[in-house]
Amino acid sequence: MESAESRTSQNGSVYHIGQGTRLNSIQTNGEARNRRETQAGSGSDDDAMLDIVMDGRDDQGLHEEIGNSQSNLTDTLDELPVGSGHYEDFHTIDWLRDIARDRMRHRHIVKKRQDGCFNKVKSAHDAWSGWVCVLFVGVAAGVCAGIIDIGTSWMSDLKEGICLEAFWLNREQCCWSGNATTFDEDGGCNQWYSWAKLFGVQSSEGGAYIVKYLLYIVWALIFGSIAALFVRVFAPYACGSGIPEIKTILSGFIIRGYLGKWTLLVKSVGMMLAVAAGLSLGKEGPFVHVACCCGNIFSYLFPKYGRNEAKKREILSAASAAGVSVAFGAPIGGVLFSLEEVSYYFPLKTLWRSFFCALMAAFVLRSINPFGNDHLVMFYIDYNEPWYIQELIPFIFLGLLGGLYGSFFIKFNIKWCKYRKTSSLGKYPIIEVLIVVFITALLSFPNDYTRMNGSELIRLLVQRCGPEDNTDLCDYKRNFTNPYPYTESVTIGDGVKRALWKLMLALLFKALITIFTFGIKVPCGLFIPSMTVGAIMGRMVGIGVEQLVVLYPNSPLFSNMCQSQQTCTVTPGIYAMVGAAAALGGVTRMTVSLVVIMFELTGGIQFIVPMMVAAMTSKWIGDALGREGIYDAHIGLNGYPYLDSKEEFTHTTIAADVMRPRCWRYGLEVRNDPPLSVLTQDSMTIDEIESILKSTEHNGFPVVVSPESQYLVGFVLRRDLNLAITNALKNQEGIVSNSLVVFINQSTPNLNGPQSLKLRKILDLAPITITDHTPMETVVEMFRKLGLRQTLVTHNGRLLGIITKKDVLRHVAHIQNQDPDNILFN
């Protein structure tokens, strides 16, 4: 890993303008006209982002000039060096440049559409390629989700036993295949053999429990070690949930290999193994990463997206919606999640395609039917009991608990992750995984509610109790003469009391162990563990409210909740749903998308208002204790260059306070930065430019008229410059090391020396510029809304310095009393 200092300069930092120089000359009208004449040929004439200023010239002449420039560019697009416009690893993309390139490519296709049938087909292909791409992504995401769900269920049951007649079936399918009508105390049947039964130990014997206990731990260690080894050896990027990195990638950051085929494969297999190991994590969050891997892979089938990083992010936004769609069976919630939580650039056409992609993913998953219940949702509820206005008080209380839990979890999880990074523990990730797996298995097996995986526990907690239920959680002293036993709230029995103690222990265990589990080097999600904690809290609160109503049915507070013959109705399952939403909202700080996901997840549309109340309360409490959600906190922990559009910048600094070099202000030396490195438009040789390239690691270089005038001509990227010079020295006759490099249209050829190398095609003639007195509030908004990579700072028309995205992030961190050196990448 490179040092933070070496990373500092990768996005174009700063060099050779003399320190303390005052730049006073003003750009002439002729120079301004020259820049406007060349803007259209630079690939930066995006209709939504460029504003051509008229200076007395007639409209017709100006339009003809721009049209000619565009035509010249489109005729030479294929002549640019191979690799131009690509980005290095851990770099930020230039949104304006990529969008402008796509607009130019589209105009070229439309212009050629009338030239024959082939061009018409090419134009049609370009028009529907986006829809075809998201169709493939949705189908692939649905197939991957179905395979992962089925594999996870089989592996989870493998810890407790095996189906001898058909080992590939899980316990439920094994009993279905044998048409079993009787089940033992462990929920098994004649065809399903627990490990104790397989070894000839009867369930009634004390040794059976020990055999089950030991094999449960052994299988958990096997699954956990294989998952950690796969991640360590084949795809290090497959660990974690992936959502913090997806948010950063969608904001314009490049992480090579993070969305590759190996990551997809290892993430999918690792999710099944990690969940089967019994760890306090879920597979739902990593589905977003899996779907985005599918989106990245399929985008390369369509050059429109594969060769343009900004356009590719439209596909990735749609893929993230498909990931949530297959995770929870919530296509609408997936679209809203992509819009609210992960996407940085979300135009209207991306909204439509995201909806289509999520729809196709949900349809494919429904066709596979991995849950075997003909429902797409995991926690489907089949009751319609009402909720009452008085219950808003405990719902708000659950929101309060969810916000407190979210803040507690984020604070201590980030502390533990920082300790892991700075201690020797981080050097042995596989050993850490095995320790966490062993402790989890050791402590979770004795408790029925921690032994089952999170999805099963939530499903159990949100269900209502009826006369046919014989579990501890449903041990009520029922009046079986009541014709509506499902809707009657009665006094709890001893079984419910035992269940409450077990749930309390499960709550403490889940809340604590998840802190140490989230962040280990296996694929792990946070949705299900957070919802599990909330569902336990909700069920316990619901039982408490239920018993209050039963004990005081004549109280004015509960009068409308009790009907005739003293029959009162309170459903604890509703509280479990609301608590799950509150805890998940407290951890992630989701609001609208969370409520929609929960409603689609359970099918309980009549309970939207309670979930909205709990989600909003949870967010308010969480924001009062710390504004960052868990994903934003991990983005900051990892040092990714992410500018959060939700935060406000209210400080009164100006661009001169942030730009590099910032050597003099008001006659006082402020910081001794290296001078700004620049290229001249027509007076530097290839040798001189190669010397600058070797001595610096900057991502790009401003081009000026001359060292004396410092008038800005444009900006050239390091990668494009390297490729152009290398290709010219190999392939162009007459180009030698002492050839002049010319970034403008030369009026007269160079007769006294070797042939000049013309690189006008790779020069951005319309870079974004600001003045040194531009408020930083404006600069930050420009970087957020326009997705800038860097902006050049001028004074009276002359180049003065540069501000990169990393400079902005370091400045924001500094004024928030955070460590600015934590920003590792650029």
Side-chain angles (χ1 to χ4, degrees), residues 15-60:
Y15 349 97
H16 301 305
I17 286 182
Q19 300 181 4
T21 305
R22 296 291 294 169
L23 306 175
N24 297 316
S25 66
I26 301 177
Q27 176 180 325
T28 64
N29 290 336
E31 290 170 334
R33 282 194 299 270
N34 182 56
R35 287 190 65 195
R36 286 195 295 274
E37 291 169 6
T38 55
Q39 276 179 349
S42 69
S44 300
D45 60 331
D46 184 3
D47 292 340
M49 300 177 185
L50 292 182
D51 189 12
I52 299 178
V53 181
M54 310 293 287
D55 58 348
R57 302 162 68 184
D58 63 288
D59 293 353
Q60 182 178 357

Side-chain angles (χ1 to χ4, degrees), residues 549-614:
V549 175
V550 170
L551 290 175
Y552 305 101
N554 298 321
S555 171
L557 184 62
F558 306 132
S559 59
N560 64 325
M561 302 173 69
C562 295
Q563 308 300 323
S564 60
Q565 299 179 356
Q566 301 297 312
T567 300
C568 304
T569 304
V570 176
T571 308
I574 298 175
Y575 290 80
M577 288 168 40
V578 173
L584 183 57
V587 172
T588 63
R589 306 297 161 80
M590 296 158 50
T591 51
V592 179
S593 58
L594 171 63
V595 173
V596 175
I597 287 173
M598 288 300 300
F599 129 65
E600 292 186 275
L601 186 63
T602 60
I605 191 172
Q606 67 270 34
F607 306 120
I608 283 185
V609 172
M611 286 188 285
M612 290 175 64
V613 170

